[in-house]
Amino acid sequence: MDALLIESDTVFAAFWMTVRLTAVSALGSLVLGVALTAMRVAPLASLRGAAGVYVSVARNTPLTLVLLFTGLGVGANLGVELSDDIATNNFWLAVIGLTAYTSAFVCEALRSGLNTVPVGQAEAARSLGLGFVKTLGLITLPQAFRSVVAPLGSIMIALTKNTTIALVVGVSEASVRMREMIETYGDQVIEIFFGFAAGFVLLCLPMGLAFGWLSRRMAVAR
């Protein structure tokens, strides 16, 4: 426990990086996931096919490989620089990888939510002259969101834990700091491990409780 107290500033900084990765990647995953969902149910077969291939490939590819692709492939080999600062550049490369991976799961959750919306809702919207985009954005998608609050919460919790793999891109988040502290304070491995585990519990538990409350609050009565 002494090690955690001595390194408290760097521990908090590491967890703050985890929070930033989670928040930015969650926002990006939500935006891309909604776009993929719209493509999956679009009237054009080409859009449905493209989104289906993307989701299948992303969901069945290990996250480590996705982050290696963004870090080594996009960053190192293609020379894509999103910032002059190396640490900031690595952060954004990690966000791209986490977003690309997580958005596939968001898409599938939302698509399952769309299946719970009665067909008559879309038919009524079309009878009023609403097109595909307006029907999806104003009628069916809002109802789908209400149906999948709990699954989306599980995906966000998984995203929080998945940030630990961002170390392959060179992002110094909580798991990296834990490994460094274990190497430095080898006689306090158990204390360090449980200290960082408690930190992740403090991040994930309130998130789970909040999404659980929202799920009950926004439940759709059928």
Side-chain angles (χ1 to χ4, degrees):
M1 191 61 65
D2 292 340
L4 292 172
L5 294 176
I6 294 173
E7 303 285 348
S8 59
D9 290 342
T10 56
V11 171
F12 282 121
F15 272 106
W16 175 239
M17 176 61 71
T18 296
V19 171
R20 288 173 57 202
L21 273 175
T22 301
V24 179
S25 300
L27 180 60
S29 300
L30 186 61
V31 173
L32 183 55
V34 169
L36 289 170
T37 303
M39 293 174 65
R40 290 297 302 270
V41 298
L44 294 178
S46 58
L47 291 178
R48 295 197 303 270
V53 170
Y54 178 90
V55 170
S56 297
V57 171
R59 292 181 68 200
N60 291 284
T61 301
L63 178 56
T64 304
L65 293 182
V66 175
L67 289 175
L68 281 173
F69 174 77
T70 57
L72 297 179
V74 176
N77 292 334
L78 297 181
V80 175
E81 293 186 1
L82 303 174
S83 174
D84 294 332
D85 180 66
I86 295 178
T88 304
N89 188 63
N90 290 342
F91 171 83
W92 285 112
L93 289 173
V95 166
I96 291 173
L98 289 168
T99 298
Y101 179 80
T102 308
S103 61
F105 294 88
V106 173
C107 170
E108 288 300 276
L110 289 176
R111 192 165 70 96
S112 67
L114 286 175
N115 291 333
T116 67
V117 179
V119 178
Q121 296 280 331
E123 292 177 347
R126 284 193 293 269
S127 68
L128 293 174
L130 296 181
F132 169 75
V133 175
K134 288 187 177 180
T135 299
L136 184 67
L138 299 177
I139 307 298
T140 56
L141 197 56
Q143 296 182 65
F145 265 108
R146 295 183 62 179
S147 300
V148 296
V149 171
L152 287 177
S154 297
I155 293 171
M156 292 303 106
I157 291 173
L159 171 61
T160 304
K161 293 182 286 187
N162 285 341
T163 58
T164 57
I165 307 179
L167 62 91
V168 302
V169 189
V171 178
S172 298
E173 40 70 56
S175 67
V176 175
R177 188 58 195 145
M178 181 182 73
R179 185 182 62 181
E180 294 172 349
M181 289 181 64
I182 288 176
E183 292 175 353
T184 304
Y185 304 94
D187 58 333
Q188 300 183 48
V189 173
I190 295 178
E191 292 89 341
I192 293 172
F193 174 81
F194 280 105
F196 276 86
F200 275 99
V201 170
L202 290 176
L203 288 179
C204 296
L205 183 59
M207 195 183 308
L209 294 175
F211 275 100
W213 177 81
L214 278 175
S215 177
R216 294 188 297 270
R217 179 79 174 177
M218 301 179 67
V220 179
R222 300 296 185 191

